[in-house]
Amino acid sequence: MNDHNGPAAPLSLIKDHPVAAFLLIAITLSWTGQILSLLLLGNILPGILAELLILLGTAVLVTGAAYGRPALRELFRRAFRWRVGLGWWAAALLALPVLTVLIALATGTFHQPSAGWWPLLGNYLLNTLIIGALLGNIWEELAWTGVVQHRLMDRQGPAIAALLTAIPFALIHLPFAFADKGFAGTPWTDVALSWAVLFLFAPFFRALMGLAYLSTGYSLLIVGLLHASFNASASTKLDVFDGDWQQIAAVVALLGVIAAVHAGASRLSRAWRASRASGGQPPEPERTLKHQPQPERILKHRPAGMRTNPREE
């Protein structure tokens, strides 16, 4: 049993409860940074930048303390895992803006870009590749997908993990409702609507991130790029439609398409294994989250020298 009364008590608590420790530290510090940014500067952007640093720092702290340096090295390797199928690169970079534009066309909310298509494309690539993925969303997803959702998937499965991760993911973004008009100028009806949309949408978004993570062999690079593509598809950046809901609908549509493809591939795989078994060939084990090739596992299949905790989220 760990001694929680000594000087190493905080580290012992992190080792015993890594996910809870991550959420407590990250949300508390992020809220503090966002609220102070709004109150003192009248701008939430510094708070957002602080949030990214807090998420990354907390992910490093929790992973290193709970699982050791081998897990920390593996976590960062996943942030640079680029060897995935070309289809996933195309989906991560182009699927959401294309679906957003198609939805705008279908609903009559589309309009031609005021500055032309080439400047729009350049701005989208800048917002997605550099400002979004490289400077922010890869590291944000290193924390949310690589630390929180990964560990929950290992214990609860992908669907439940997405629902559970969606709650703190939405919580950390609550101050965003005051980003435009501040605390004093934002009507509470607008705040309530913003928070309702956030909590309803978050499970779909986390499900899409989790499915991309599993389907690409744990590539946080692709997950971060997909997240950045979503942010860059907002009407304030992708100036081809009027409204705030089209990019949300695009996420739901893309999730449905990827889930259908994933389910179809799983059925084909099971049929192929059954065919081999009926022909006298032993079926190969199904590659689930608990049957991934080494060195994919951080949790239950740890690299040599990684400590195992008696209790973990």
Side-chain angles (χ1 to χ4, degrees):
M1 181 178 295
N2 292 319
D3 180 10
H4 296 309
N5 297 319
L11 287 180
S12 296
L13 289 173
I14 291 175
K15 292 176 184 178
D16 290 343
H17 308 284
V19 172
F22 173 88
L23 296 177
L24 179 62
I25 296 170
I27 293 177
T28 301
L29 293 181
S30 294
W31 275 356
T32 301
Q34 293 167 11
I35 292 172
L36 289 177
S37 181
L38 285 169
L39 289 175
L40 300 178
L41 303 175
N43 189 339
I44 200 172
L45 180 58
I48 295 175
L49 297 177
E51 177 196 335
L52 291 173
L53 294 176
I54 290 165
L55 286 171
L56 179 58
T58 308
V60 170
L61 170 65
V62 168
T63 303
Y67 304 111
R69 291 184 179 180
L72 196 55
R73 288 194 295 268
E74 172 62 19
L75 183 63
F76 276 90
R77 277 196 292 267
R78 294 178 181 190
F80 297 98
R81 183 161 295 168
W82 60 273
R83 292 185 177 180
V84 300
L86 290 177
W88 267 110
W89 278 103
L93 185 60
L94 299 174
L96 286 177
V98 169
L99 284 171
T100 301
V101 170
L102 290 176
I103 290 169
L105 283 168
T107 56
T109 56
F110 173 84
H111 62 76
Q112 293 290 332
S114 56
W117 284 101
W118 287 112
L120 180 74
L121 178 60
N123 287 333
Y124 169 77
L125 292 176
L126 176 65
N127 286 323
T128 300
L129 297 175
I130 306 300
I131 298 175
L134 184 61
L135 298 181
N137 296 121
I138 292 174
W139 315 113
E140 183 179 3
E141 288 302 333
L142 181 144
W144 285 114
T145 302
V147 174
V148 178
Q149 200 161 343
H150 180 104
R151 284 153 177 76
L152 292 175
M153 282 193 289
D154 197 72
R155 293 176 62 90
Q156 306 291 340
I160 300 299
L163 291 173
L164 293 177
T165 307
I167 298 172
F169 181 77
L171 286 174
I172 207 171
H173 291 93
L174 289 183
F176 283 42
F178 305 95
D180 294 332
K181 302 177 182 178
F183 291 109
T186 306
W188 279 104
T189 52
D190 293 352
V191 173
L193 177 61
S194 175
W195 287 353
V197 172
L198 177 62
F199 276 97
L200 289 173
F201 171 64
F204 293 98
F205 187 80
R206 293 315 320 169
L208 179 60
M209 298 299 108
L211 190 54
Y213 183 59
L214 291 177
S215 300
T216 57
Y218 298 162
S219 173
L220 291 170
L221 176 61
I222 293 296
V223 175
L225 182 60
L226 189 59
H227 190 152
S229 175
F230 167 77
N231 291 341
S233 297
S235 59
T236 54
K237 298 176 182 178
L238 194 67
D239 182 27
V240 291
F241 63 95
D242 301 311
D244 298 318
W245 58 270
Q246 291 87 342
Q247 66 175 147
I248 294 177
V251 167
V252 177
L254 182 59
L255 175 62
V257 171
I258 294 176
V261 171
H262 185 77
S266 297
R267 285 195 295 268
L268 288 175
S269 178
R270 288 194 295 268
W272 178 76
R273 286 195 301 270
S275 176
R276 289 192 63 186
S278 63
Q281 297 287 342
E284 295 183 356
E286 185 174 357
R287 290 179 59 184
T288 65
L289 194 61
K290 296 183 179 180
H291 293 87
Q292 295 289 343
Q294 297 293 335
E296 297 291 353
R297 304 295 298 126
I298 282 182
L299 297 176
K300 296 185 177 178
H301 303 289
R302 293 179 172 84
M306 188 173 296
R307 295 186 296 275
T308 302
N309 298 324
R311 292 173 295 166
E312 55 182 298
E313 276 69 14

